[in-house]
Amino acid sequence: MTRHITRTWLGAGALLLTGTLALTACGSGFDDDGGGGATGDGEASELTSSDDALSILIGSSGDAETQAVEEAVAAWSEESGVEASVQVANDLPQQLSQGFAAGSPPDLFYLATEALAGYAGNGSLVAYGDLLENKDDFYPSLVQNFTVDDQFYCAPKDFSTLQLIINKGLWDAAGLTDDDIPTTWDELADVAATLTSDGVTGLAFGAEYQRLGAFMAQAGGQLVSDDGTEAVANSPENVEALTYVQEQMDAGSFAYATIDLGAGWGGEAFGQEKSAMTIEGNWITGAMTNDFPDVEYVVAELPEGPAGKGTMQFTNCWGMAADSPNQQAALELVQYLTSAEQQLAFSEAFGPMPSVQSAAEQWTADNPDMAAFLAGADYAKGVPTNDGIAAVITDFNASLEGLKAGDPQEILDTVQSNVEAVVG
């Protein structure tokens, strides 16, 4: 069970993070050359067309996602007459990089934002985004996530944001009401302290930037400037965010789900009622339904920080290989998979939010209790897309594991140096 649900959040946008070093070259530090082993110029002025079958490589969050994608691809295949098969990767970053190195990559594959620049830079990808009939329907922030050097490379397949998940039973037992749902950092600290008792921690989350980054956003901070040209990791805003988290950890009301509570991820700590609240994305719905059906919960927007509302956004796109002999069919399949109708079906099957704006109204009507997740689209920050940033984040995450006893300024100063090496 742990292995299954631990991967759930990865499918939403960070799946390639831990393995991106495979495509960003070797050597020390964070100065990389984008790797090698690819052909093609990345341009999509003319797509290849053949009778070849399509191969699709995905990193699945579990059986529900696998079945949904397989059924959708099979339906398209029957309609189009083009054979297509879906393979579920055990280690997507490794298998993808091996496929490119061997000159036999899949035609289509899940690709995370932080992996895009490396593959785009070495010519592995087709920049087909502007050829999509529904290109103007995607959320602009998602299009930006998959744009490199002004080229829209690939269609966002779906997306997720982080929000606050509250155990209703523990909340009610503590005498808290809807009026107590926190809207500020001070209020979050107060309710977390109230909920911390009898072996239950008020708030638990993953020991990683992909969770603590929400606090950074609420303080007005981020790792890289909006235009991607400046390292801003050790800003006073980020120091304030990590200091706030550290103070609550010292008080015992915040904790790391894995290190402190022995759970596989924040959703598991929450489902096992080791924590009364967690910070997770909408993928948690599948885990709660399948693994913790007796735990009643509510979803609220994360509290505002000193700079206002803030959260993180995760997404993957459908990457297309420059070496694919049947890119035209691959494009048609992507358009089918990213239609509003199909994305709503995916959402019902395994929880992600549609990446097209035309599906928003229906998704909200179908998921009224999850509306806070979609609200986050208006102010969410994505993971930086600079080539090599994955290695920086991996190092940052290792440092964050020791935040409780560490120095936020020193941690961020190191991150700053690493980001500068990537941005510069």
Side-chain angles (χ1 to χ4, degrees), residues 35 154 322 399:
C154 47
S399 297

Side-chain angles (χ1 to χ4, degrees), residues 28-198:
S28 59
F30 298 93
D31 222 356
D32 56 66
D33 63 11
T39 61
D41 59 9
E43 308 230 348
S45 54
E46 273 185 54
L47 298 180
T48 60
S49 182
S50 70
D51 294 327
D52 289 52
L54 296 180
S55 59
I56 300 100
L57 183 66
I58 69 171
S60 179
S61 61
D63 293 342
E65 180 171 0
T66 299
Q67 182 177 345
V69 175
E70 287 178 342
E71 289 178 352
V73 170
W76 174 85
S77 182
E78 182 176 358
E79 180 180 310
S80 67
V82 179
E83 293 186 16
S85 60
V86 177
Q87 179 185 1
V88 179
N90 293 321
D91 186 330
L92 180 57
Q94 181 180 25
Q95 288 173 241
L96 192 56
S97 62
Q98 288 174 342
F100 277 113
S104 56
D107 298 279
L108 290 174
F109 43 88
Y110 285 8
L111 185 65
T113 54
E114 59 271 16
L116 174 65
Y119 278 127
N122 63 31
S124 297
L125 305 177
V126 177
Y128 69 85
D130 285 334
L131 301 179
L132 292 164
E133 294 177 359
N134 60 342
K135 67 177 182 178
D136 294 330
D137 197 13
F138 294 104
Y139 287 96
S141 62
L142 298 179
V143 172
Q144 185 59 39
N145 283 158
F146 295 109
T147 297
V148 176
D149 295 332
D150 297 325
Q151 286 189 295
F152 177 25
Y153 266 82
C154 47
K157 73 179 191 69
D158 51 41
F159 78 110
S160 301
T161 65
L162 299 176
Q163 297 296 0
L164 186 67
I165 320 299
I166 299 170
N167 182 309
K168 190 176 187 311
L170 295 175
W171 187 267
D172 292 346
L176 299 171
T177 69
D178 289 350
D179 291 338
D180 297 306
I181 292 176
T183 59
T184 66
W185 277 6
D186 286 344
E187 292 176 358
L188 179 63
D190 288 343
V191 296
T194 298
L195 291 163
T196 300
S197 64
D198 299 327

Side-chain angles (χ1 to χ4, degrees), residues 14-37 91-98 100-101 111-119 122 386-398 418 421-422:
L15 190 53
L16 295 184
L17 179 59
T18 57
T20 311
L21 287 174
L23 66 98
T24 53
C26 42
S28 59
F30 298 93
D31 222 356
D32 56 66
D33 63 11
D91 186 330
L92 180 57
Q94 181 180 25
Q95 288 173 241
L96 192 56
S97 62
Q98 288 174 342
F100 277 113
L111 185 65
T113 54
E114 59 271 16
L116 174 65
Y119 278 127
N122 63 31
N386 305 75
D387 189 10
I389 198 68
V392 175
I393 294 173
T394 297
D395 186 77
F396 186 21
N397 287 347
N418 293 337
V422 169

Side-chain angles (χ1 to χ4, degrees), residues 195-349:
L195 291 163
T196 300
S197 64
D198 299 327
V200 177
T201 300
L203 174 65
F205 40 80
E208 58 201 353
Y209 157 73
Q210 290 88 342
R211 297 298 177 274
L212 275 71
F215 292 104
M216 293 163 58
Q218 291 155 18
Q222 54 191 330
L223 295 181
V224 180
S225 60
D226 287 337
D227 62 6
T229 64
E230 182 182 359
V232 291
N234 65 347
S235 67
E237 291 81 4
N238 286 339
V239 173
E240 183 176 14
L242 295 193
T243 299
Y244 169 77
V245 173
Q246 183 185 60
E247 289 172 350
Q248 310 318 312
M249 295 176 77
D250 286 340
S253 54
F254 284 16
Y256 284 144
T258 50
I259 298 171
D260 300 322
L261 304 184
W265 62 300
E268 184 176 50
F270 180 80
Q272 293 176 345
E273 298 192 315
K274 294 179 178 179
S275 71
M277 299 183 293
T278 191
I279 297 172
E280 282 296 337
N282 37 293
W283 51 82
I284 196 174
T285 59
M288 297 306 295
T289 299
N290 297 325
D291 300 298
F292 311 107
D294 296 330
V295 177
E296 188 176 0
Y297 65 96
V298 296
V299 180
E301 289 185 72
L302 284 165
E304 293 187 14
K309 291 184 177 181
T311 189
M312 295 198 70
Q313 174 176 283
F314 303 100
T315 180
N316 282 322
C317 78
W318 286 104
M320 184 188 298
D323 283 345
S324 171
N326 200 357
Q327 295 163 353
Q328 182 59 45
L331 177 71
E332 293 168 8
L333 174 55
V334 168
Q335 290 184 154
Y336 178 88
L337 295 174
T338 59
S339 67
E341 180 182 8
Q342 186 56 59
Q343 288 204 56
L344 286 167
F346 283 153
S347 178
E348 182 178 0

